[in-house]
């Protein structure tokens, strides 16, 4: 310690105390005649060093930005709301955020199916494709069917419309997976009657529907009929299922709903802390009905 104190005596304190440290950009090569990493065998070359520095710099920036993103609780004065990037009449994305990453409602749907994965067993019918049957059914599924409204659809084992499907036999399925399906069917009463009819006694229908949502601009635009609330889905299921065999809930809140309408993705929200669901802003409505 005495040695260090003796060394420091040679530096004028009034100068050293206030001298600004030099600023370096560690993501760029320094402007020097030679770079020691390339002149000597130090176990790493300059390009590798720069790559590691850029990666570290990006992680630091992400970490800092995430720390700054906190929920606001104060209410701005009238006329002084900061709309930022949301001050637009053209949404950031019109395709549910698929072009930016993972749609915000996807975890709501998949958490629901994960919660009820043990219902996905025996003979299972899914609409459109059987991706969720395979993802959550494991080895409990003995037979997997796919219903599609369009003739010739790849993977479809049954062609038809759930609202009018007399060719599907009664008591056929142990489980129906209906994710974002009812939204594109006009005759909901007939559809729920079919769902109940083709389920085996004790069979389960797992249903998700959009609540707060934009309308698809693609394939299903002309068939997009409804948005749901927990009350509307519950009353619909009560037409054929008994009250004690129905469970209905919702996921989402004001923040996720506004973000979803703007077409943001799950990746856009990753720096925000988790927030509770708000039943007054049902972004995705979830239903489980047992025959």
């Amino acid at each position: 310690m005495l040695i260090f104190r003796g060394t420091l005596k040679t530096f004028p304190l009034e100068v050293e105390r206030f001298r600004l440290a030099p600023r370096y950009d560690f993501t760029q090569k320094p402007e020097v005649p030679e770079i020691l990493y390339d002149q000597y065998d130090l176990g790493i070359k300059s390009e590798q060093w720069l790559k590691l520095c850029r990666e570290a710099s990006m992680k630091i920036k992400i970490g800092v930005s995430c720390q700054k993103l906190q929920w606001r609780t104060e209410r701005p004065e009238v006329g002084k709301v900061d709309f930022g990037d949301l001050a637009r009449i053209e949404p950031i994305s019109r395709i549910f955020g698929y072009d930016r990453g993972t749609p915000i409602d996807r975890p709501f749907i998949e958490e629901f199916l994960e919660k009820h994965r043990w219902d996905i067993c025996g003979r299972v019918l899914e609409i459109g494709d059987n991706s969720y049957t395979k993802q959550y059914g494991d080895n409990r599924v003995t037979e997997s069917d796919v219903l599609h409204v369009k003739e010739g659809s790849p993977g479809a084992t049954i062609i038809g419309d759930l609202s009018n499907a007399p060719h599907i036999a009664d008591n056929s399925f142990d489980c129906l997976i209906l994710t974002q399906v009812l939204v594109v069917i006009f005759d909901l009463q007939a559809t729920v009657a079919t769902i109940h009819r083709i389920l085996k006694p004790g069979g389960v229908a797992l249903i998700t529907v959009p609540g707060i949502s934009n309308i698809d601009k693609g394939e299903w635009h002309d068939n997009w009929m409804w948005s749901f609330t927990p009350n509307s889905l519950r009353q619909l299921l009560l037409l054929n299922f008994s009250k004690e065999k129905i469970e209905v809930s919702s996921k989402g809140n004001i923040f996720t709903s506004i973000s979803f309408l703007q077409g943001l993705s799950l990746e856009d929200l990753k720096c925000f802390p988790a927030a509770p669901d708000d039943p007054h802003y049902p972004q995705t409505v979830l239903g489980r009905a047992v025959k």
Side-chain angles (χ1 to χ4, degrees):
M1 188 68 179
L2 292 175
I3 296 175
F4 287 118
R5 285 179 178 174
T7 302
L8 289 173
K9 284 182 179 179
T10 62
F11 293 90
L13 185 60
E14 65 275 6
V15 175
E16 292 301 317
R17 178 182 294 173
F18 301 108
R19 187 177 69 174
L20 292 175
R23 294 186 177 184
Y24 300 105
D25 182 357
F26 290 103
T27 65
Q28 302 295 328
K29 287 185 178 180
E31 296 181 2
V32 294
E34 62 179 15
I35 299 177
L36 296 182
Y37 286 117
D38 295 332
Q39 294 296 321
Y40 302 97
D41 185 12
L42 301 177
I44 189 172
K45 295 301 181 182
S46 61
E47 288 300 332
Q48 294 172 284
W49 168 260
L50 291 176
K51 180 176 182 293
L52 292 172
C53 285
R54 292 185 184 114
E55 291 175 355
S57 176
M58 182 60 65
K59 288 181 180 179
I60 291 171
K61 288 178 181 178
I62 291 173
V64 170
S65 64
C66 286
Q67 291 173 7
K68 293 180 179 178
L69 300 179
Q70 300 294 328
W71 300 122
R72 294 185 176 182
T73 56
E74 73 282 0
R75 294 188 179 186
E77 297 178 25
V78 175
K80 294 186 178 181
V81 176
D82 181 8
F83 289 97
D85 289 332
L86 303 186
R88 57 178 66 237
I89 58 172
E90 177 66 24
I92 293 172
S93 168
R94 285 189 178 272
I95 54 175
F96 306 104
Y98 275 109
D99 52 341
R100 300 177 64 82
T102 307
I104 292 171
D105 66 343
R106 199 53 42 180
F108 301 155
I109 296 169
E110 295 183 352
E111 287 169 13
F112 172 72
L113 294 176
E114 173 65 35
K115 178 182 178 181
H116 298 293
R117 69 184 306 142
W118 293 100
D119 291 328
I120 304 174
C121 61
R123 188 182 181 191
V124 179
L125 176 67
E126 189 171 350
I127 312 303
D129 60 54
N130 66 345
S131 57
Y132 283 143
T133 302
K134 292 188 291 186
Q135 184 173 343
Y136 297 102
D138 303 320
N139 59 357
R140 297 181 303 276
V141 176
T142 57
E143 187 175 354
S144 173
D145 281 289
V146 174
L147 174 70
H148 205 292
V149 71
K150 296 182 179 179
E151 190 78 42
S153 297
T157 59
I158 304 172
I159 303 299
D161 182 338
L162 272 180
S163 65
N164 182 24
H167 56 300
I168 303 178
D170 297 357
N171 307 315
S172 292
F173 300 99
D174 298 286
C175 181
L176 301 183
I177 300 177
L178 308 167
T179 54
Q180 313 302 77
V181 172
L182 301 188
V183 64
V184 293
I185 301 176
F186 180 71
D187 194 342
L188 293 178
Q189 293 188 24
T191 299
V192 173
T194 298
I195 291 171
H196 185 271
R197 179 180 63 79
I198 66 177
L199 277 174
K200 295 178 182 179
V204 180
L206 300 175
I207 301 168
T208 73
V209 288
I212 299 172
S213 174
N214 57 308
I215 295 173
D216 180 37
K217 65 168 290 186
E219 178 183 6
W220 301 106
H221 176 269
D222 293 337
N223 299 101
W224 197 280
M225 300 293 174
W226 312 103
S227 286
F228 292 80
T229 65
N231 287 336
S232 64
L233 181 59
R234 184 180 295 107
Q235 292 301 314
L236 183 63
L237 293 174
L238 282 171
L239 294 175
N240 294 90
F241 293 86
S242 59
K243 182 179 180 180
E244 63 274 10
K245 298 293 184 69
I246 296 171
E247 302 171 25
V248 177
S249 60
S250 66
K251 300 287 288 185
N253 51 52
I254 182 66
F255 179 73
T256 61
S257 296
I258 290 175
S259 300
F260 186 65
L261 290 176
Q262 280 286 359
L264 298 181
S265 68
L266 193 63
E267 289 76 9
D268 288 310
L269 310 188
K270 65 182 179 181
C271 290
F272 283 94
D277 299 307
D278 187 337
H280 296 94
Y281 295 90
Q283 185 185 331
T284 303
V285 180
L286 314 165
R288 177 181 183 268
V290 181
K291 180 174 177 178

